[in-house]
Amino acid sequence: MPHGLLTVDQLTLSTRQGNIVTDLSFSISPGEIVALTGRSGSGKTSMGLAILGLLPNGIHLRSGTIEWNDGQKFVSYPRDINSWYQLRGSHIGYIQQDAFGAFDPVIKMRKQLLMIIHERSVTPLSNADELLREKLREVGIEEVDRLLNSYPHQLSGGQLQRCQLCLTIIIQPQLIIADEPTSAIDKINQLEILDLFARVCQKFNIAFLCITHEPSVVKYLADRVVDLQGNEYINSGNRNARIKSHPSGNSILEVQNIAYTHRYGGLFEKKGGGVRRINFSLSRGECLGMIGESGSGKSTIAQILVGLIPPDDGKVILDNAEVHFQRKEDIRQLRRKIQLVMQDGRGSLHPDKNVRELMDEIIRERKKNGLASEVMPEDSLSEVGLPADILDRNPGELSGGECLRICIARALLLEPEILIGDESTSALDKPTCNEILGLLKNLMKTRHLGVILISHDPELISQIADQILVISGGEIVESGSTDAVFQEPKHKVTKEFLAVEATLSEKRKL
């Protein structure tokens, strides 16, 4: 096969259950954008980690080689393993799917971003702080001071993904590997990020390997496409039918004038973004969709609803009773009745425990909450479409999509009345995503479960949501039935979302 900057030759990756990637071969040259595609669980992320020499325990490189040839050095992995490790972080940059897991949770962003820059830069940078601020603005960060003074958990997935992109731009490696780089970003910013990737690769002649399950990203960005069966092709949208639900009309949740402001800066406290004047209600068996750009406040609303942060003002009324956020018992009941499936599925699961242990934790919690009847973990996994043999595997051996479905199964074990999905389908390929939407529809029907689905994807929201909230700048800028909002959008943010979705159905033009 032809040799480029990076060449993968007959690579096979395996686990105890068998091969996850078999005899995969492809190459990538400087300045070229190659998309690596496949279904959730097909081995896309493992392939990226294999190139970095970072395969987790339980996944092994069974056969084949990976070669690096930039005209100055020739290195083969796994033969030249020590030399290969020196390529990582300087010659080969990585943007991982788990944006939260990319950063240390107990170090503020400014300190750790500068640590990485100084560690990985080829030449010393005397102006690193100034350069960092400039590049953060370049990748779309508006509140730079707030971001730099925040811990990772105080930021959105989209903001953290932009921080990863900022680091790769500063270090300027010869190859960038990005694992689902836009799955946590709304459509408007997704288009900007994809254009930025393309411009960076063109300007600095950087090779770019984009691991993605999103057809729109493949169609818009890639010069060449490789699927996990080894097929290659040169890259030269109908909306799915809506899944209708049947709300009972009985209100289960009312949110009245909720407001919250993020604070940072320690002793010299400063205030940043947040949410204000948030009002909505949710009925049993109903799906409420929330869309908005990254950092608009969607996740902040979700965190308030499960008691992770108390609102500065307003009321949350659950089952006709106001929630008092200062009372521990109210918070305990709130968290049982409203379950949050977070965007970072893998980061929500203990890395050193297998799935059986993770499920048993929640089964024990059921007993503490006085929930009747024993449940089997196999039955819960089956409900979300996972086989029983996954019980003896660790999160590191699973795909992002499988980890998210385990999170849904764990949430359902506590028999909640409301399930909040915070970008919980962003890591899934289209067929798997449709399966999850079908699962949610069934849960709304059989369990009379209320669902709040937070997403940056209008197409996904349009398939299942009965009502929709469009969030921008911490406020609801448009609301109503899904059909009415999408067929006759009134606010400019809603119109931009729908216009960008149409643009992503075409090949980019630089």
Side-chain angles (χ1 to χ4, degrees):
M1 64 178 296
H3 285 255
L5 177 69
L6 180 87
T7 301
V8 175
D9 188 20
Q10 298 291 305
L11 200 73
T12 295
L13 304 179
S14 63
T15 67
R16 289 174 296 176
Q17 288 73 32
N19 293 345
I20 57 174
V21 175
T22 304
D23 294 335
L24 181 66
S25 298
F26 68 91
S27 67
I28 181 169
S29 300
E32 185 180 27
I33 300 176
V34 174
L36 182 64
T37 68
R39 287 198 60 166
S40 179
S42 61
K44 303 187 300 298
T45 295
S46 298
M47 190 63 243
L49 293 175
I51 293 173
L52 293 164
L54 289 173
L55 281 173
N57 291 334
I59 301 179
H60 308 282
L61 197 159
R62 182 176 179 182
S63 61
T65 59
I66 309 172
E67 297 176 347
W68 177 267
N69 184 5
D70 62 3
Q72 298 179 341
K73 63 169 69 74
F74 180 88
V75 183
S76 179
Y77 180 79
R79 185 188 65 193
D80 307 316
I81 189 167
N82 292 328
S83 297
W84 192 270
Y85 290 160
Q86 296 175 9
L87 298 174
R88 188 170 65 223
S90 52
H91 296 276
I92 303 176
Y94 182 54
I95 297 176
Q96 68 183 58
Q97 177 179 346
D98 175 13
F100 289 93
F103 297 99
D104 192 313
V106 298
I107 302 178
K108 288 189 175 180
M109 294 301 294
R110 180 182 182 275
K111 182 177 181 180
Q112 59 179 308
L113 288 172
L114 289 175
M115 286 170 55
I116 296 169
I117 291 170
H118 287 304
E119 174 70 23
R120 292 302 178 185
S121 295
V122 178
T123 57
L125 294 173
S126 58
N127 63 335
D129 190 82
E130 179 183 343
L131 181 62
L132 174 61
R133 290 173 179 273
E134 175 189 337
K135 296 304 179 184
L136 284 172
R137 294 188 186 94
E138 189 174 319
V139 298
I141 299 295
E142 295 181 355
E143 296 181 301
V144 173
D145 284 335
R146 184 178 86 82
L147 182 141
L148 292 176
N149 284 283
S150 297
Y151 292 99
H153 73 273
Q154 295 173 313
L155 304 174
S156 71
Q159 289 170 321
L160 292 174
Q161 201 68 293
R162 284 175 172 78
C163 289
Q164 290 195 87
L165 174 58
C166 173
L167 289 172
T168 60
I169 292 174
I170 292 174
I171 296 170
Q172 290 184 20
Q174 293 170 277
L175 168 66
I176 296 175
I177 301 173
D179 187 4
E180 304 285 3
T182 58
S183 64
I185 302 175
D186 63 87
K187 293 289 185 180
I188 295 173
N189 289 289
Q190 185 178 113
L191 188 62
E192 295 175 0
I193 293 296
L194 293 177
D195 283 339
L196 182 57
F197 275 135
R199 287 198 299 272
V200 168
C201 292
Q202 184 181 59
K203 180 177 180 179
F204 300 106
N205 202 33
I206 296 175
F208 186 71
L209 179 63
C210 183
I211 300 170
T212 182
H213 65 264
E214 297 186 74
S216 61
V217 173
V218 172
K219 186 176 291 186
Y220 186 79
L221 184 67
D223 300 315
R224 185 159 51 87
V225 183
V226 178
D227 65 34
L228 263 297
Q229 283 69 47
N231 302 315
E232 293 190 28
Y233 62 90
I234 303 297
N235 182 30
S236 39
N238 293 328
R239 190 182 299 278
N240 290 341
R242 181 158 164 252
I243 305 172
K244 294 184 178 180
S245 58
H246 301 281
S248 66
N250 299 323
S251 178
I252 184 176
L253 175 71
E254 291 185 21
V255 173
Q256 300 176 358
N257 288 312
I258 284 294
Y260 178 81
T261 301
H262 292 284
R263 295 167 178 82
Y264 64 96
L267 182 62
F268 303 99
E269 184 179 84
K270 298 179 182 179
K271 295 182 179 181
V275 296
R276 54 195 176 277
R277 296 190 294 274
I278 301 299
N279 291 275
F280 63 86
S281 63
L282 180 71
S283 298
R284 298 182 188 278
E286 180 183 29
C287 179
L288 174 70
M290 290 187 192
I291 65 170
E293 67 269 23
S294 296
S296 62
K298 305 186 300 296
S299 294
T300 298
I301 296 171
Q303 290 169 20
I304 291 172
L305 292 179
V306 293
L308 290 176
I309 53 177
D312 297 332
D313 196 10
K315 296 180 180 181
V316 174
I317 300 173
L318 180 64
D319 286 335
N320 298 315
E322 182 179 348
V323 177
H324 297 278
F325 286 84
Q326 295 75 27
R327 297 178 184 172
K328 290 184 178 180
E329 180 59 24
D330 279 23
I331 296 298
R332 190 180 71 82
Q333 287 298 320
L334 182 72
R335 290 176 179 171
R336 189 195 73 75
K337 293 181 178 181
I338 304 180
Q339 283 287 298
L340 173 63
V341 179
M342 300 183 71
Q343 179 176 319
D344 177 15
R346 183 174 281 108
S348 302
L349 304 174
H350 196 297
D352 295 328
K353 293 185 178 182
N354 62 32
V355 177
R356 187 184 303 277
E357 292 171 314
L358 294 169
M359 298 295 286
D360 285 344
E361 286 179 346
I362 310 302
I363 292 173
R364 290 193 295 271
E365 191 66 24
R366 276 178 58 92
K367 296 178 181 178
K368 292 180 183 178
N369 282 275
L371 295 175
S373 74
E374 289 289 335
V375 294
M376 299 299 293
E378 293 88 346
D379 296 335
S380 298
L381 292 177
S382 176
E383 190 174 12
V384 297
L386 291 174
D389 62 12
I390 210 170
L391 284 167
D392 297 319
R393 297 166 67 182
N394 284 20
E397 301 176 63
L398 306 175
S399 70
E402 289 169 326
C403 288
L404 280 166
R405 284 194 272 181
I406 290 168
C407 291
I408 294 174
R410 280 162 49 95
L412 294 176
L413 280 173
L414 289 176
E415 299 181 11
E417 298 178 13
I418 298 172
L419 186 67
I420 301 177
D422 187 1
E423 301 285 4
S424 53
T425 58
S426 62
L428 305 179
D429 60 86
K430 199 67 176 178
T432 308
C433 181
N434 288 336
E435 292 171 5
I436 295 297
L437 294 182
L439 168 64
L440 292 176
K441 175 195 173 185
N442 185 60
L443 292 170
M444 289 188 291
K445 181 179 178 181
T446 59
R447 296 195 180 201
H448 303 292
L449 189 70
V451 173
I452 298 176
L453 196 60
I454 298 172
S455 179
H456 58 258
D457 188 348
E459 181 179 353
L460 182 147
I461 290 292
S462 70
Q463 294 179 52
I464 191 170
D466 303 289
Q467 302 288 324
I468 188 169
L469 305 178
V470 182
I471 314 290
S472 181
E475 294 185 333
I476 299 173
V477 297
E478 189 165 359
S479 63
S481 72
T482 303
D483 290 339
V485 171
F486 281 154
Q487 288 174 11
E488 295 184 14
K490 294 180 173 59
H491 197 274
K492 65 177 183 179
V493 171
T494 315
K495 294 177 181 178
E496 286 176 0
F497 265 95
L498 300 179
V500 168
E501 188 174 343
T503 302
L504 282 170
S505 67
E506 304 172 353
K507 184 73 165 66
R508 76 180 192 281
K509 298 178 177 65
L510 290 179

